[in-house]
Amino acid sequence: MMPGRLHTPRSVVDLRWMRRTTAAGLSSLILVSAYIQLFLGIFYGAPNVRMLVLVISTTACVILALAMVPTLVRASGILSARNPLVIALLATSLLTWAIALAPPFAGWGWAFLVAISGGMLSCLVSGLKSGAVIVATIGTIALGGISQWVGHDHTAVGVVASISGTQNRDIVTVAGAVLMTVLPRTTVWVLRVVLRLEEARQTASELAVATERLRFATDLHDIQGHHLQVIALKGELAERRLLAGEPELAARELADIRGIAQAALEDTRAVVNDYRTVTVAVEARNAAAVLRSAGIDCEARIDAPDLPPPMGAVFAVAIREAATNILRHSTATAASLELILSNDEEYRLTITSNGSSARRSGGTGISGIGERAAAWNGTVQTRRDDDTFTLVVRIPAPAVQRTEAGR
């Protein structure tokens, strides 16, 4: 790519190409219809004033139809069916057909631009209206047959002579007019399907970006919320040590604060670079140590053999979130943490604490754990008994997941 030039996405280029191709196709249909109309009308008709009027009105129809093409290739029909340009096109084409229908009948060929006009109008309406416009257009063209029937001999000999002389030519002409009625709608429909698929692709891309942003925000919430809560706790302890005349213990708390802040910075950089991994055992030890430093008696037990690291990261996040909530939203004096592989072939994390306060609304921690667990076919449950709060996270073991997927 040359310096200083903007790179245009390939999808945008493809859409431009599709619009230009569709516009060229519609323009070609209009010009071909005009050529057939003039050729059949002039070839099979006698030169007179009516013929001159038909040629002039046909030319006007072509100009109006070509002016409508740019609108039809847009993502949606911005041009209303009541727009003066649309009304002028319909009026001119119908006037041309009406002049051709006046006895003596000038021929079926003058109906081609009526077909094109009706087909273009069907692109500006939706649903059943579009089909109604196509049917009405074909019905309008069929009026020529009534006019021809009225203007000819109704006897059996006259009918046979008329059919034998013009039947094949008229059948081909009418079939061509019907085809020209449907082609504009079909051409524009294909374009709009492609445009909607592109819109769906862009929506999926935007949704993927939003999902990634939500995941990033959740990770930052998990990391920073935990570290900041511990820093606040350690700062409070350092303040108490200083007021109690224990500078050495206060210095130890301040050193812990510095270490926790450094760990928070490293975890944040790791999240940004997407290489951060969490170990359940380390997270459990850290959570128990933090809770004990806050004066909470905490017991931790980890017995989860063959726990996959990605699944362990889910339990580690749950442990960190639970420890943060205990410190922030409870007056707990005792807590327990247990992660085991149960007899039901599922990994189960159970975290219990007393001194639980009333349920808070608007939090994202538990729901975030639930989303992470759901990705592994797991569940998250919470219960409250008096002032005891329990969080249970269950995730089937990988072997169980494979068995369920194979059913």
Side-chain angles (χ1 to χ4, degrees):
M1 186 173 60
M2 295 297 293
R5 290 189 178 182
L6 295 177
H7 176 65
T8 303
R10 181 175 179 82
S11 60
V12 176
V13 176
D14 292 343
L15 289 179
R16 290 177 182 174
W17 180 84
M18 282 290 301
R19 286 193 175 98
R20 291 171 182 172
T21 303
T22 304
L26 289 173
S27 300
S28 300
L29 284 176
I30 295 170
L31 295 176
V32 169
S33 298
Y35 173 78
I36 296 174
Q37 180 163 311
L38 292 174
F39 176 78
L40 294 178
I42 295 175
F43 183 80
Y44 292 103
N48 50 35
V49 176
R50 184 172 74 160
M51 183 70 66
L52 178 62
V53 173
L54 289 173
V55 171
I56 294 174
S57 62
T58 298
T59 304
C61 286
V62 172
I63 296 173
L64 293 171
L66 290 175
M68 281 183 57
V69 169
T71 299
L72 296 181
V73 298
R74 295 174 185 170
S76 59
I78 300 177
L79 192 62
S80 170
R82 299 180 181 179
N83 187 278
L85 181 63
V86 179
I87 296 175
L89 174 61
L90 290 174
T92 307
S93 61
L94 290 174
L95 177 62
T96 303
W97 184 230
I99 296 174
L101 290 177
F105 181 50
W108 290 96
W110 297 104
F112 273 82
L113 284 179
V114 175
I116 287 291
S117 301
M120 297 180 74
L121 176 62
S122 69
C123 299
L124 299 176
V125 294
S126 60
L128 296 177
K129 293 181 180 179
S130 177
V133 169
I134 293 177
V135 172
T137 301
I138 297 175
T140 301
I141 296 174
L143 290 176
I146 299 175
S147 173
Q148 187 180 29
W149 174 262
V150 173
H152 284 75
D153 186 4
H154 292 180
T155 64
V157 175
V159 170
V160 171
S162 175
I163 293 176
S164 63
T166 63
Q167 183 183 39
N168 293 335
R169 185 189 70 198
D170 289 348
I171 289 176
V172 173
T173 303
V174 172
V178 172
L179 180 63
M180 289 298 178
T181 306
V182 179
L183 280 179
R185 174 67 180 178
T186 304
T187 304
V188 173
W189 177 81
V190 172
L191 173 64
R192 290 179 179 173
V193 167
V194 174
L195 294 177
R196 289 176 181 175
L197 288 175
E198 177 62 19
E199 291 178 358
R201 187 194 66 80
Q202 294 179 355
T203 302
S205 299
E206 294 173 357
L207 180 60
V209 172
T211 302
E212 180 62 18
R213 288 177 177 173
L214 180 60
R215 183 197 66 81
F216 184 78
T218 302
D219 287 346
L220 284 182
H221 168 271
D222 294 340
I223 294 170
Q224 300 297 351
H226 173 74
H227 287 305
L228 291 175
Q229 185 64 33
V230 175
I231 288 174
L233 175 64
K234 291 289 186 178
E236 182 180 354
L237 291 175
E239 182 182 10
R240 292 180 180 178
R241 302 299 188 190
L242 287 174
L243 294 177
E246 300 174 341
E248 294 181 357
L249 295 178
R252 186 184 305 170
E253 299 294 343
L254 292 175
D256 290 343
I257 290 175
R258 183 175 66 251
I260 295 170
Q262 184 63 35
L265 289 174
E266 293 175 356
D267 286 346
T268 302
R269 294 192 188 100
V271 168
V272 173
N273 294 323
D274 200 22
Y275 63 80
R276 181 175 179 272
T277 58
V278 184
T279 303
V280 177
V282 173
E283 197 63 53
R285 287 197 301 268
N286 291 341
V290 169
L291 293 175
R292 292 190 190 105
S293 66
I296 301 174
D297 183 15
C298 180
E299 296 181 0
R301 177 195 173 198
I302 304 294
D303 185 12
D306 301 324
L307 176 64
M311 188 182 296
V314 177
F315 289 114
V317 170
I319 292 171
R320 185 190 310 113
E321 179 65 26
T324 302
N325 288 339
I326 292 172
L327 293 172
R328 185 183 299 175
H329 306 304
S330 73
T331 57
T333 58
S336 64
L337 184 158
E338 182 184 62
L339 175 60
I340 62 172
L341 177 62
S342 68
N343 295 330
D344 298 330
E345 294 297 323
E346 68 175 10
Y347 292 102
R348 184 173 64 231
L349 171 66
T350 305
I351 302 176
T352 305
S353 64
N354 62 3
S356 176
S357 59
R359 183 183 296 272
R360 297 172 65 254
S361 60
T364 59
I366 300 299
S367 61
I369 298 172
E371 293 174 0
R372 294 172 185 267
W376 293 86
N377 298 323
T379 60
V380 175
Q381 296 178 341
T382 60
R383 62 175 181 267
R384 190 186 306 270
D385 300 323
D386 296 331
D387 67 340
T388 301
F389 181 82
T390 303
L391 170 68
V392 181
V393 181
R394 294 184 175 90
I395 298 180
V400 176
Q401 293 186 6
R402 288 194 297 268
T403 301
E404 292 177 351
R407 291 178 181 175

